[in-house]
Amino acid sequence: MSSTKHKKSYFALIDCNNFFASCEQVFNPKLIGKPLVILSSNDGCVISRSKEAKALGIKMGAPLFEYRRWLEEKRIIAISSNFALYGDMSHRVMQTLETFGFPTEIYSIDEAFLTLPELSALECEELAKEVRKKVKKWTGLPVAIGIGLTKTLAKAENEIGKKAGGISVAIDPETIALHLKQLLVSDVWGIGRAGSEFLQKYQIQTAFQFRECEDGWIKKHLTVGGLRTAIELRGTACLDILPEREHSQSITASRSFGRAVTTFLELKEAVATFAGIAAKKLRDQKASASFLSVFIATSRFVPGEGYSNTASLLLPFPTSYTPDISFHAEKALKAIFKEGFAYKKAGIILSQIGSEIEEQLNLWDDGSLKKQRAIYAFDTIAHKYGRKSLFFAAEGIDKSWKSRSSSRSPLFTTSWEEIPLVKI
DNA sequence: TCTGGGGTCCTAGGACCC
DNA sequence: TCTGGGGTCCTAGGACCC
């Protein structure tokens, strides 16, 4: 019997208002009520604005060098970002939300979804009020709350709530339709710039108009992601609350440089720093990575001759050990570095992340191991330890790999202990 | 002179394999 | 050895999110 057909549930999206600016205000009450902007690294551009700063018309992402005079004239306070503080505040907010006992998904540094049971609209409102009050009391931060039948609708309600006292609920078809008619497609979660520009050409401007479009047409032009968004807007949930993952899919450490970097040495040092940051993040997750990319780029704002490139490589072993990662990052950097350019940005991306133990076993035990990776691993070991140890381990050759060389195909070896593993 | 950083997911097309 | 169709894997790049 399909009595397991799950009960109806609602979604709430809790979103901190002007998060970074609000965090600063909590710790420095003199900033409350003032036009305030938070700046990115190198104080490059605006990444958060207080309500008052927004009212003065300063745009998200505004570059400081263009607006500095203007900011001074308007007496807007600009301060550098403090991500350690924001991370800590985020943690407190999430902990507060978890005290309500609903399944919770932390969506970003300042947002979380809750799954609610089926309630009346009034009960939803009451609950939202309670959540707002508690978060404000426990953390000092103001939040907006949207409640809807799906995550996308909760997001939409949140947008509306921000402009209407902080809370918006829509769970009946009439209210939903009414609200979606007021919401621009470009403000729908999942519809970005490219999507809304495309829809504009077909005179589709509101979320309501978008959800009325034909499935096949949406899928053809906006892919499955677009279709999922439309289905969610019609009230059918197809994005569930995601369970917490053990580790990230990828880890990035990158920076823009305050001033242009031209030499390999400088770039090498920067990349070594990124390697350290990324490796630490990896270890904090008790994970290791098998794939590494390094990228460098000149300024994207200088027209004409720029240069940017990425080099990727499979690590011989899954690792989270800084010297290993640093060593390979430098190799990758060497492959793409070109003399004569003014580099403005660089970074490292670690991917193919798994738990340490799992990955170590995979390398030798698991038939699902990718061939390319195995060959790479063997070549590297052969290089590092000499062919002898390889032959020693090379029992039980998988026949399907025969076309390669017999010296590097022993995946299903029974004496893998003989191979010295690089320490993680 | 000066323009953020960190993510996820999807697709197209080539490589490869049976 | 030749043949082609079809599946799967892999990667680059784009779109989107905060």
Side-chain angles (χ1 to χ4, degrees):
Chain A
M1 293 295 289
S2 68
S3 58
T4 50
K5 199 166 173 356
H6 48 265
K7 281 177 292 177
K8 214 158 101 180
S9 52
Y10 297 150
F11 294 88
L13 177 72
I14 293 91
D15 177 313
C16 300
N17 303 343
N18 320 320
F19 184 57
F20 301 160
S22 298
C23 287
E24 297 290 347
Q25 287 170 330
V26 167
F27 288 90
N28 186 354
K30 281 184 202 153
L31 297 173
I32 296 172
K34 302 251 169 68
L36 167 70
V37 296
I38 310 302
L39 305 171
S40 64
S41 73
N42 299 324
D43 290 348
C45 61
V46 171
I47 54 170
S48 180
R49 307 157 293 161
S50 71
K51 194 174 67 190
E52 295 75 15
K54 283 180 187 172
L56 287 172
I58 184 140
K59 298 252 160 44
M60 186 70 168
L64 191 64
F65 74 92
E66 266 178 27
Y67 284 79
R68 180 162 266 142
R69 284 272 302 275
W70 191 80
L71 290 176
E72 280 165 12
E73 275 168 29
K74 301 266 183 185
R75 294 171 185 275
I76 293 172
I77 304 162
I79 57 183
S80 305
S81 48
N82 177 354
F83 279 90
L85 171 68
Y86 312 147
D88 190 58
M89 290 297 279
S90 172
H91 187 60
R92 291 193 212 180
V93 172
M94 301 310 167
Q95 278 185 323
T96 310
L97 295 179
E98 274 162 9
T99 63
F100 286 90
F102 301 112
T104 305
E105 178 193 336
I106 298 170
Y107 176 70
S108 74
I109 193 163
D110 71 333
E111 281 173 82
F113 286 102
L114 306 186
T115 312
L116 308 179
E118 198 173 350
L119 301 166
S120 71
L122 200 66
E123 287 168 322
C124 286
E125 296 259 1
E126 287 305 313
L127 176 65
K129 280 184 199 162
E130 232 182 282
V131 173
R132 275 191 99 201
K133 211 168 113 186
K134 193 164 181 179
V135 175
K136 178 79 187 173
K137 188 171 171 190
W138 287 21
T139 69
L141 292 168
V143 296
I145 301 179
I147 296 178
L149 304 183
T150 66
K151 281 174 140 185
T152 307
L153 285 171
K155 269 279 203 182
E157 290 307 317
N158 186 277
E159 278 295 315
I160 291 163
K162 272 179 200 161
K163 293 160 198 153
I167 293 172
S168 186
V169 176
I171 50 178
D172 64 283
E174 291 75 26
T175 315
I176 295 169
L178 192 70
H179 286 184
L180 292 186
K181 283 176 186 170
Q182 297 162 16
L183 190 70
L184 293 173
V185 252
S186 52
D187 289 336
V188 169
W189 185 45
I191 306 291
R193 223 187 64 191
S196 44
E197 273 170 22
F198 172 80
L199 292 168
Q200 187 72 38
K201 282 194 289 199
Y202 292 85
Q203 318 295 326
I204 296 159
Q205 289 169 19
T206 68
F208 184 82
Q209 286 174 310
F210 173 63
R211 82 169 185 176
E212 300 299 296
C213 293
E214 199 253 320
D215 284 2
W217 185 83
I218 296 176
K219 190 171 176 200
K220 183 173 167 205
H221 297 292
L222 301 174
T223 78
V224 283
L227 183 55
R228 276 202 277 260
T229 299
I231 292 171
E232 284 247 321
L233 286 175
R234 293 171 197 154
T236 303
C238 45
L239 306 170
D240 282 327
I241 291 274
L242 265 41
E244 206 174 319
R245 287 203 237 221
E246 270 178 76
H247 42 69
S248 341
Q249 305 284 95
S250 69
I251 289 171
T252 306
S254 72
R255 292 287 178 278
S256 291
F257 303 129
R259 61 185 50 152
V261 165
T262 53
T263 65
F264 181 77
L265 187 70
E266 285 177 285
L267 229 34
K268 191 181 95 175
E269 280 168 8
V271 168
T273 309
F274 303 145
I277 295 168
K280 165 122 187 11
K281 285 189 192 172
L282 205 48
R283 292 194 297 273
D284 289 346
Q285 299 187 12
K286 297 206 188 310
S288 55
S290 310
F291 201 83
L292 176 156
S293 305
V294 170
F295 65 87
I296 51 177
T298 55
S299 172
R300 59 185 215 277
F301 297 100
V302 179
E305 289 173 31
Y307 170 68
S308 80
N309 210 343
T310 306
S312 299
L313 57 86
L314 211 47
L315 295 167
F317 296 95
T319 181
S320 62
Y321 187 51
T322 299
D324 272 353
I325 290 172
S326 204
F327 172 78
H328 291 286
E330 189 181 327
K331 270 203 308 197
L333 177 64
K334 241 177 221 154
I336 50 174
F337 176 76
K338 275 208 229 169
E339 205 78 51
F341 287 99
Y343 295 99
K344 289 290 299 180
K345 189 173 179 176
I348 180 172
I349 303 167
L350 301 176
S351 52
Q352 295 189 8
I353 295 171
S355 83
E356 286 161 299
I357 294 163
E358 189 187 309
E359 286 288 337
Q360 283 271 339
L361 288 177
N362 269 350
L363 186 56
W364 307 112
D365 277 354
D366 185 353
S368 74
L369 175 60
K370 302 293 176 285
K371 191 167 169 181
Q372 192 190 348
R373 176 160 144 210
I375 291 167
Y376 188 97
F378 265 90
D379 281 349
T380 309
I381 298 165
H383 178 72
K384 197 161 179 173
Y385 300 102
R387 291 267 164 194
K388 260 188 186 167
S389 53
L390 263 192
F391 275 116
F392 204 59
E395 297 168 2
I397 293 167
D398 173 359
K399 289 207 174 62
S400 72
W401 287 36
K402 229 172 162 182
S403 59
R404 298 277 166 179
S405 141
S406 61
S407 65
R408 46 143 76 146
S409 51
L411 240 219
F412 305 104
T413 169
T414 50
S415 51
W416 55 271
E417 298 91 341
E418 304 295 338
I419 297 174
L421 294 178
V422 169
K423 189 184 157 232
I424 288 188

